[in-house]
Amino acid sequence: MSANVDNIDYKVAAEEEKRRRHDVMAHVHAFGIAAPQAAGIIHLGATSCFVTDNADLIIFRDAMDLLISKLVVVIDSLSQFARTHRALPTLGFTHFQPAQLTTVGKRATLWVQELLWDLRNMQRARDDLGFRGVKGTTGTQASFLSLFNGDDEKVEELDRLVAELSGFKGKSYPVCGQTYSRKVDVDFVSALSSFGATAHRIATDIRLLANLKEIEEPFERDQIGSSAMAYKRNPMRSERVCSLSRHLMVLIGDVLQTASVQWLERTLDDSANRRIAIPEACLTADIVLATLQNVVEGLVVYPQVIARRIRSELPFMATENFIMAMVQKGGDRQECHEQIRVLSHEAAAVVKQQGGDNDLIERVRKCAYFAPIAGELDSLLDPSTFIGRAP
């Protein structure tokens, strides 16, 4: 048997499966043809799930290792981006309406933090994986107890050795039916679906910022954004991340449904669904990570556009600073507030009704009431004084 482990005749296996309508037994017979002296004992005491469930758990472990390594790269690249732009002021948004200032780097840390939680979830799901091991047809190990003539210790040792040889360090689930609990699948795919939500959020933010022309994903020199509108620079990579992430997020529904309908020791209606949903979750997470890495490593920031937007909104945000400065000069807070209110509404009317620029600062400069702080207005409008501890 050892000499023929890799001697797999897939043509014979396919013919056997067509004949017997059973994938595992097709390979048992194909293996028996390759190793005829062992044909009589192959699969002795085992059930199909001894093969398929244990194989799935090995695949899950190795797949998560690959995904974790790619997620670490994305986190590192985005962390470098955050450090580089940690002190670059930018307009913050709540409800996608102008809010107080933040920095480009501080905003990126929102993304990094969620990715770090995804890393925690994926590592935990990976580390929590056990092995089905040698449990028999309904989890009682009866067939193996019979093979070992009722010797409990030998059955337990076999279970431990199989798990250890499969890379699980002797860690197998203490209880199972014919299958390991499908709650394991829920934990595994939940981590991936949760990452899908993070990826979608990040890509959506980048798409919004691209519309504002503040940040863009990489755009090749000869890349075409639109077949009709030659000037367009569509964020197609970020759009792809969103599209695939939506698929990744909903796959947990399949896995939850499967876990909820495991009749007694097991039912076979989980098999076909799992063979689609779980591999798709891994493959989708993989391409989302690859695409997200491409995006974050090539992000382009436009400081002048960012500064222009700050200039258009900062006058309103700075009004509290004006009031504080006037009070320090001996002014009355309520009177100052009323003066600012009137000037702000006049400036807002110019912006909204006439389509003009925000001229609040010029109105403040020209207002005799604010003469005591006229020389301080520029310093009171320095964006770096509005970003708090962000850097």
Side-chain angles (χ1 to χ4, degrees):
M1 290 175 68
S2 298
N4 287 280
V5 166
D6 297 317
N7 181 19
I8 304 172
D9 192 328
Y10 290 101
K11 183 178 179 181
V12 170
E15 292 172 351
E16 289 287 342
E17 184 170 358
K18 184 176 181 180
R19 174 187 172 195
R20 303 178 188 278
R21 309 301 298 172
H22 196 291
D23 53 357
V24 173
M25 286 306 297
H27 279 275
V28 167
H29 283 275
F31 197 4
I33 293 172
Q37 290 182 331
I41 61 169
I42 293 174
H43 206 59
L44 183 62
T47 185
S48 296
C49 290
F50 170 75
V51 178
T52 56
D53 271 29
N54 283 324
D56 282 346
L57 291 164
I58 293 171
I59 292 169
F60 291 177
R61 179 198 63 201
D62 294 350
M64 194 63 92
D65 284 342
L66 293 173
L67 294 173
I68 286 171
S69 66
K70 293 187 176 186
L71 177 56
V72 168
V73 172
V74 172
I75 291 171
D76 181 65
S77 297
L78 202 50
S79 297
Q80 292 180 39
F81 176 86
R83 283 191 291 268
T84 299
H85 302 287
R86 62 191 299 170
L88 178 59
T90 189
L91 184 63
F93 290 90
T94 58
H95 312 273
F96 202 44
Q97 300 298 313
Q100 293 294 315
L101 299 190
T102 182
T103 70
V104 172
K106 165 61 171 60
R107 177 179 284 146
T109 64
L110 298 175
W111 306 335
V112 172
Q113 179 172 250
E114 293 189 6
L115 290 172
L116 286 169
W117 287 335
D118 290 317
L119 178 61
R120 174 205 62 192
N121 294 343
M122 291 165 70
Q123 189 67 58
R124 184 163 55 199
R126 188 257 184 246
D127 292 344
D128 282 350
L129 285 173
F131 207 51
R132 179 193 179 276
V134 180
K135 298 296 195 297
T137 56
T138 57
T140 66
Q141 298 180 309
S143 58
F144 296 100
L145 188 64
S146 175
L147 286 173
F148 288 121
N149 299 315
D151 192 328
D152 288 301
E153 291 185 2
K154 286 186 177 180
V155 174
E156 290 184 4
E157 180 66 4
L158 176 64
D159 199 22
R160 186 192 67 77
L161 284 173
V162 169
E164 186 172 308
L165 290 170
S166 300
F168 284 82
K169 299 178 181 178
K171 178 185 175 183
S172 62
Y173 296 117
V175 174
C176 72
Q178 188 171 93
T179 65
Y180 66 79
S181 171
R182 295 319 187 206
K183 288 287 284 185
V184 174
D185 296 353
V186 172
D187 288 348
F188 182 82
V189 178
S190 288
L192 303 183
S193 289
S194 180
F195 161 69
T198 303
H200 195 291
R201 182 266 170 95
I202 294 171
T204 299
D205 283 356
I206 293 171
R207 292 166 66 188
L208 293 171
L209 293 170
N211 175 263
L212 299 176
K213 298 180 174 60
E214 294 188 1
I215 289 179
E216 285 184 343
E217 67 178 37
F219 196 89
E220 309 299 334
R221 189 175 71 88
D222 295 325
Q223 183 175 329
I224 296 174
S226 167
S227 62
M229 296 165 279
Y231 59 87
K232 293 196 73 178
R233 295 168 68 92
N234 295 335
M236 59 89 170
R237 292 175 175 86
S238 297
E239 290 172 326
R240 185 180 305 152
V241 168
C242 288
S243 180
L244 292 170
S245 293
R246 287 201 304 273
H247 180 58
L248 181 54
M249 285 186 281
V250 301
L251 286 172
I252 187 60
D254 272 354
V255 181
L256 286 167
Q257 292 280 0
T258 296
S260 72
V261 295
Q262 287 299 293
W263 297 356
L264 307 176
E265 278 63 51
R266 76 85 54 104
T267 177
L268 190 59
D269 67 355
D270 76 337
S271 182
N273 186 294
R274 292 179 68 254
R275 295 185 191 198
I276 298 172
I278 300 177
E280 279 195 7
C282 294
L283 291 170
T284 306
D286 182 75
I287 191 58
V288 168
L289 279 165
T291 309
L292 196 58
Q293 178 185 344
N294 178 267
V295 170
V296 300
E297 288 182 351
L299 283 175
V300 180
V301 178
Y302 295 105
Q304 296 306 314
V305 176
I306 293 172
R308 184 177 64 200
R309 180 158 285 105
I310 290 176
R311 288 194 298 270
S312 71
E313 299 290 344
L314 191 58
F316 293 131
M317 300 176 194
T319 55
E320 181 65 20
N321 287 9
F322 298 166
I323 293 173
M324 297 290 288
M326 281 295 295
V327 171
Q328 288 177 353
K329 298 287 187 180
D332 179 273
R333 192 268 177 195
Q334 313 323 324
E335 175 61 20
C336 185
H337 183 277
E338 178 61 17
Q339 293 282 342
I340 286 290
R341 187 190 69 80
V342 173
L343 295 177
S344 296
H345 286 192
E346 292 173 352
V350 170
V351 173
K352 295 177 180 179
Q353 298 174 21
Q354 301 176 24
D357 292 331
N358 187 337
D359 63 356
L360 175 59
I361 301 305
E362 293 307 311
R363 291 175 183 274
V364 172
R365 290 186 194 279
K366 293 176 182 178
C367 181
Y369 179 84
F370 289 101
I373 63 169
E376 301 175 28
L377 290 179
D378 288 341
S379 62
L380 292 172
L381 287 164
D382 181 359
S384 65
T385 65
F386 288 80
I387 57 177
R389 300 182 61 240

